């Protein structure tokens, strides 16, 4: 069982959260307190609800925070999840179980922000693209397999000249300067399965 200590802005809120947590067989609420009170040393995970700006959060055990603050603190080390106050009991319980397992929990919004920060959009993704024909998509996928114009021509039963024409059309429509760049753009845009 995961031992949980609940710290909240009011005793009523702490009792309500403790009651929610006690319905999960994986969790054992060992203490619930009002912010600023002493902390239970036997807890595996702390659940802190609506911390005030000056509150010091527990830093010795994994902590899950419920807050409507738009500026969550960096997750990791002791802070394992920063959930909105509107989180469901299932989400809160899952975050506590994950924190006890040494995992960090992100909401969808946090994950999207993190992904956008770590992987900025490529400049070519915002450019409008003329649609590729079914044959051009087929040729693009063959390019991704490393086939040359002659191999493409043989597999499709077309002339070398026509294969070369399709490759040129693909490069032009995608704004690519090389076959490799065309494949890279195609992968990023979901035109080429990975």
């Amino acid at each position: 069982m995961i031992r949980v200590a609940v710290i909240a802005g009011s005793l009523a809120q702490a009792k309500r959260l403790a009651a929610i947590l006690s319905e999960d067989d994986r969790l054992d609420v060992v203490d619930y307190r009002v912010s600023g009170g002493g902390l239970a040393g036997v807890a595996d995970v702390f659940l802190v609800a609506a911390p005030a700006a000056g509150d010091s959060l527990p830093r010795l055990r994994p902590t899950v925070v419920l807050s409507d603050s738009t500026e969550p603190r960096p997750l990791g080390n002791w802070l394992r999840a920063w959930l909105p106050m509107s989180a469901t009991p299932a989400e809160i319980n899952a975050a506590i179980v994950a924190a006890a397992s040494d995992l960090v929990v992100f909401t969808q919004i946090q994950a999207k922000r993190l992904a956008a920060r770590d992987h900025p959009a490529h400049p070519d993704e915002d450019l409008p693209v003329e649609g590729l024909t079914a044959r051009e998509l087929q040729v693009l996928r063959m390019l991704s397999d490393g086939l040359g114009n002659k191999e493409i021509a043989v597999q499709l039963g077309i002339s070398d000249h026509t294969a070369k024409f399709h490759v040129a059309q693909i490069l032009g429509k995608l704004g690519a300067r090389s076959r490799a760049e065309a494949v890279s753009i195609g992968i990023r845009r979901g035109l080429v399965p990975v």
Side-chain angles (χ1 to χ4, degrees):
M1 267 195 145
I2 301 167
R3 298 169 299 182
V4 183
V6 178
I7 303 166
S10 70
L11 190 56
Q13 184 183 38
K15 284 182 179 180
R16 183 180 58 80
L17 287 169
I20 289 171
L21 298 179
S22 66
E23 292 179 17
D24 190 319
D25 294 337
R26 302 169 294 178
L27 308 177
D28 178 25
V29 178
V30 294
D31 196 4
Y32 57 88
R33 309 258 175 134
V34 176
S35 295
L39 300 174
V42 295
D44 299 314
V45 177
F46 288 104
L47 174 63
V48 180
D55 281 353
S56 60
L57 298 174
R59 294 175 189 260
L60 300 176
R61 300 272 192 279
T63 301
V64 173
V65 173
L66 296 174
S67 174
D68 284 328
S69 170
T70 57
E71 291 299 322
R73 299 178 190 184
L75 299 177
N77 295 328
W78 56 274
L79 183 56
R80 301 299 170 80
W82 190 281
L83 303 175
M85 289 298 292
S86 61
T88 65
E91 291 168 335
I92 296 168
N93 294 352
I96 290 170
V97 170
S101 298
D102 215 18
L103 299 173
V104 175
V105 177
F106 293 100
T107 64
Q108 284 186 349
I109 292 171
Q110 291 166 342
K112 286 178 184 177
R113 284 183 191 158
L114 182 64
R117 186 191 76 205
D118 290 347
H119 303 288
H122 295 279
D124 65 344
E125 289 177 350
D126 294 332
L127 298 174
V129 176
E130 184 180 343
L132 299 179
T133 65
R135 177 63 79 166
E136 289 165 348
L137 282 172
Q138 194 176 18
V139 171
L140 178 60
R141 290 177 181 145
M142 290 178 165
L143 289 175
S144 74
D145 290 334
L147 300 181
N149 290 348
K150 288 186 183 202
E151 295 166 308
I152 291 170
V154 168
Q155 284 198 14
L156 296 178
I158 58 177
S159 71
D160 293 353
H161 176 73
T162 303
K164 186 176 179 181
F165 174 78
H166 285 311
V167 171
Q169 287 292 104
I170 293 167
L171 294 177
K173 287 181 178 182
L174 294 179
R177 292 181 296 274
S178 69
R179 298 158 74 95
E181 185 179 7
V183 170
S184 176
I185 292 169
I187 290 170
R188 284 195 305 266
R189 294 189 180 176
L191 302 172
V192 176
V194 182

